[in-house]
Amino acid sequence: MNWAIPFFPYPPSKPGFWSPVTSTLNWCEEDYYATVYSAEIVNTLTNLLFMALGVKGIISCIRNQHDQIFLVAYLGYLVVGTGSFLFHTTLKYPMQLVDELSMIYTTCLMVYASFAFSRPTGVRVAIGVSLSALSVFITLYYHYLQDPTFHQNTYALLTIVVVFRSMYTMEKTLRPKWRKSREEDRLEKEKRGLPVPSKERQHFENVRDTKLLATMWCMVGYGLAMFLGGFAIWNLDNHFCSDIRRWRRQVGLPWGIFLEGHGWWHIMTGIGAYLYIVWGIQLRHCLKGQQDDYHLHWARVWHIPDVVRTAPSSKGANSQQKKLS
């Protein structure tokens, strides 16, 4: 059956500006068919979303005065996108290391943010040293093995650890039934000489946090769906590469672009990873009791969320009086 929609035939692959390929991975997209200056043009350009969201996150961190660990995390996120851009442009082994190892380092930063918050200085130092040593070990061992499966499994394990830890922390912090009873909380605050919230204020906080918790769980589900969906598409791309290449040539350009599975992986994991950092920022503000000072702005599921600082007028004397009443 002939493809009825107008299309341009795929150009043949040709020697490229960055030849020869030295990376240990080469994806299903054919090399140098669009331009001699980019080995995998779709896999390259889909990283622009990573880079744009990285810049957006950095600007948001500076503007809204989020903790500096998240500014560093966004810088790492930007390095991941830039490294992947360079890797798929050149298919050179050094660029592959920039791409893959920056994923490990950025995830280790999020592990530190999750486990070290509000811990004594000695514990924070121990966690930081341990994660640094782990990063060095992964770097050296991966360079020795040059086995992409080791990198993928390590990245997946680190991500699972930090996501489940953050889920536990979120529930414990925001779910009213998991907190201390109101009387226990009142007695502890009285003992420490802290203001005791009124029943009305306690009810307000419970309703506020329950609504926020529902939004944050929605973000978790959406982010996981992006990660798992992108992983599934990428695996189909790996297992059925010869068939997919044939289908691409049958439908031609630009329609064949939509069959680039690794490109979809970039888009979907870029969104998923960005959602996770935003989620981590909001969770940190909740741990610091700043739910009234910061707002998780996410109007629609298809919008890019952000944690924004509340307008100064809403944090003035009246707001402080409410907290203490």
Side-chain angles (χ1 to χ4, degrees):
M1 183 176 180
N2 292 328
W3 180 248
I5 300 177
F7 67 92
F8 298 98
Y10 266 79
S13 294
K14 47 191 172 290
F17 181 80
W18 307 102
S19 296
V21 172
T22 60
S23 63
T24 61
L25 289 168
N26 198 344
W27 309 103
C28 191
E29 184 175 7
E30 297 181 50
D31 298 348
Y32 294 110
Y33 65 90
T35 171
V36 296
Y37 296 107
S38 180
E40 297 173 341
I41 188 67
V42 175
N43 288 346
T44 296
L45 294 180
T46 46
N47 283 293
L48 293 177
L49 175 66
F50 250 107
M51 297 161 74
L53 289 178
V55 172
K56 174 179 170 62
I58 290 168
I59 293 172
S60 176
C61 269
I62 295 171
R63 178 184 297 146
N64 295 293
Q65 300 177 354
H66 301 314
D67 286 0
Q68 289 202 351
I69 187 69
F70 296 106
L71 176 61
V72 177
Y74 275 125
L75 286 169
Y77 178 96
L78 178 60
V79 171
V80 170
T82 305
S84 185
F85 182 98
L86 296 173
F87 169 41
H88 290 288
T89 296
T90 64
L91 290 181
K92 293 294 187 181
Y93 180 66
M95 294 300 102
Q96 179 183 347
L97 292 180
V98 173
D99 174 22
E100 295 179 331
L101 292 177
S102 58
M103 295 168 63
I104 299 293
Y105 303 153
T106 303
T107 307
C108 284
L109 281 172
M110 297 305 293
V111 172
Y112 179 84
S114 178
F115 283 89
F117 176 72
S118 75
R119 298 295 184 91
T121 302
V123 175
R124 293 201 305 270
V125 171
I127 293 173
V129 170
S130 299
L131 288 171
S132 298
L134 178 63
S135 299
V136 172
F137 168 75
I138 292 172
T139 300
L140 297 177
Y141 193 60
Y142 179 49
H143 181 59
Y144 168 73
L145 285 182
Q146 296 193 5
D147 181 4
T149 304
F150 170 74
H151 163 265
Q152 292 161 12
N153 291 339
T154 304
Y155 173 69
L157 181 61
L158 285 169
T159 302
I160 289 169
V161 168
V162 72
V163 167
F164 275 94
R165 164 71 181 186
S166 298
M167 287 178 180
Y168 167 77
T169 303
M170 178 178 69
E171 277 288 320
K172 185 179 177 183
T173 303
L174 293 177
R175 184 76 64 186
K177 71 176 183 178
W178 297 123
R179 296 174 182 160
K180 296 178 181 178
S181 70
R182 186 164 59 86
E183 191 59 33
E184 287 177 341
D185 189 50
R186 179 183 297 276
L187 290 173
E188 183 176 320
K189 287 185 175 180
E190 286 178 348
K191 188 182 295 184
R192 295 168 60 189
L194 297 174
V196 178
S198 66
K199 292 182 179 179
E200 292 78 11
R201 177 64 189 179
Q202 191 71 56
H203 176 72
F204 166 79
E205 290 180 357
N206 289 344
V207 172
R208 176 200 65 193
D209 291 349
T210 300
K211 289 181 179 178
L212 178 59
L213 187 62
T215 302
M216 292 177 72
W217 270 117
C218 182
M219 183 175 290
V220 170
Y222 185 34
L224 286 175
M226 288 287 105
F227 267 110
L228 296 177
F231 182 74
I233 292 172
W234 177 23
N235 270 274
L236 289 173
D237 201 52
N238 290 336
H239 285 91
F240 301 101
C241 181
S242 57
D243 293 325
I244 291 171
R245 284 186 173 183
R246 177 167 48 82
W247 296 339
R248 285 193 205 121
R249 291 199 168 271
Q250 286 176 352
V251 301
L253 290 169
W255 319 111
I257 290 173
F258 295 101
L259 296 175
E260 297 288 355
H262 196 73
W264 284 111
W265 160 258
H266 288 162
I267 292 170
M268 297 175 78
T269 55
I271 294 171
Y274 184 85
L275 287 170
Y276 176 69
I277 299 177
V278 172
W279 176 49
I281 290 171
Q282 180 60 45
L283 181 58
R284 173 62 65 88
H285 288 307
C286 292
L287 289 170
K288 295 166 75 173
Q290 296 176 333
Q291 293 95 311
D292 291 335
D293 300 331
Y294 288 87
H295 172 64
L296 177 57
H297 182 69
W298 194 25
R300 299 287 187 275
V301 172
W302 56 87
H303 290 174
I304 301 298
D306 196 9
V307 178
V308 297
R309 196 176 184 93
T310 307
S313 59
S314 66
K315 299 194 305 172
N318 291 336
S319 176
Q320 291 298 325
Q321 188 175 359
K322 268 181 154 184
K323 290 182 183 180
L324 300 177
S325 62

